[in-house]
């Protein structure tokens, strides 16, 4: 079985300057609190939301702007009013060589993996269930959830 490790190398403050270059990018984005960890049942994490952009028209940049303006997820918007938020993202083009399913399936896989590791969905992903995506037996994704731990400080722009 081949394991593909999904890592996050950069952190970006949730600001217009860091969002604008992502217009046209398709993929996942993960929003988290800079200085506060959520006490999920199994362990803490600063991650509060996993979202997707499934087209260039509704790009990662556009979706993040929606969250900042209140047109996106209301939980993310409310956290942004009180706390500093940052984000990181997964460019879908970079995972296509080993991920043969849709972007929706990738989002579901991430959310379900978070549930398994933390005991609950990210606090602002407010659906009660997500379809479980099963990978072919020859591949396994290992997601670097440690990026969002309370002790992590990654280079930010």
């Amino acid at each position: 079985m081949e394991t593909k490790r999904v890592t996050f190398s950069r952190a970006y403050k949730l600001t217009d300057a860091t969002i604008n270059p992502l217009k046209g990018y398709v993929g996942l984005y993960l929003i988290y609190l800079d200085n506060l960890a959520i006490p999920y049942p199994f362990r803490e994490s600063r991650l509060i939301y996993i979202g997707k952009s499934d087209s260039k028209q509704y790009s990662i940049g556009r979706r993040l702007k929606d969250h900042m303006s209140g047109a996106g997820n209301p939980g993310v918007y409310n956290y942004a009013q009180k706390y500093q938020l940052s984000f990181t993202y997964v460019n879908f083009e970079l995972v296509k060589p080993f991920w043969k399913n849709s972007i929706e399936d990738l989002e579901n896989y991430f959310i379900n993996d978070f549930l398994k590791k933390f005991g609950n969905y990210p606090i602002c992903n407010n659906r009660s269930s997500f379809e479980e995506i099963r990978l072919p037996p020859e591949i396994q994704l290992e997601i670097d959830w440690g990026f969002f731990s309370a002790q992590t400080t990654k280079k930010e722009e």
Side-chain angles (χ1 to χ4, degrees):
M1 176 185 312
E2 184 178 4
T3 299
K4 294 291 186 181
R5 185 157 167 77
V6 180
T7 61
F8 310 101
S9 58
R10 300 195 76 167
Y12 303 89
K13 296 285 186 195
L14 194 58
T15 65
D16 285 338
T18 58
I19 292 171
N20 288 337
L22 298 175
K23 290 181 179 168
Y25 279 62
V26 173
L28 300 183
Y29 56 93
L30 298 94
I31 300 175
Y32 61 95
L33 297 155
D34 281 6
N35 300 307
L36 179 66
I38 303 297
Y40 291 107
F42 297 162
R43 63 185 197 203
E44 291 185 338
S45 179
R46 294 178 299 138
L47 184 70
I48 62 169
Y49 187 75
I50 300 170
K52 73 174 178 326
S53 153
D54 53 9
S55 71
K56 290 185 178 193
Q57 180 182 0
Y58 294 102
S59 66
I60 292 173
R62 179 161 177 189
R63 297 293 300 129
L64 289 168
K65 277 196 179 285
D66 285 348
H67 291 302
M68 285 181 58
S69 71
N73 181 290
V76 171
Y77 177 76
N78 290 332
Y79 271 106
Q81 300 309 299
K82 186 164 183 175
Y83 302 101
Q84 176 62 52
L85 299 181
S86 291
F87 72 94
T88 191
Y89 66 95
V90 176
N91 185 336
F92 194 56
E93 290 300 316
L94 298 178
V95 299
K96 276 185 177 179
F98 60 86
W99 183 263
K100 304 304 180 197
N101 296 7
S102 69
I103 185 72
E104 290 83 6
D105 287 345
L106 185 63
E107 178 191 35
N108 281 341
Y109 185 89
F110 268 60
I111 290 169
N112 279 304
D113 193 63
F114 189 89
L115 170 65
K116 288 175 191 168
K117 303 291 188 323
F118 293 86
N120 201 10
Y121 297 116
I123 197 165
C124 292
N125 286 98
N126 53 12
R127 289 186 270 170
S128 61
S129 67
F130 294 85
E131 180 183 345
E132 182 148 8
I133 304 304
R134 298 201 187 281
L135 297 180
E138 66 273 7
I139 189 168
Q140 179 178 341
L141 293 184
E142 182 182 318
I143 302 167
D144 178 20
W145 296 119
F147 182 89
F148 308 100
S149 73
Q151 297 79 25
T152 305
T153 55
K154 297 282 183 182
K155 181 181 176 188
E156 296 191 2
E157 286 193 356

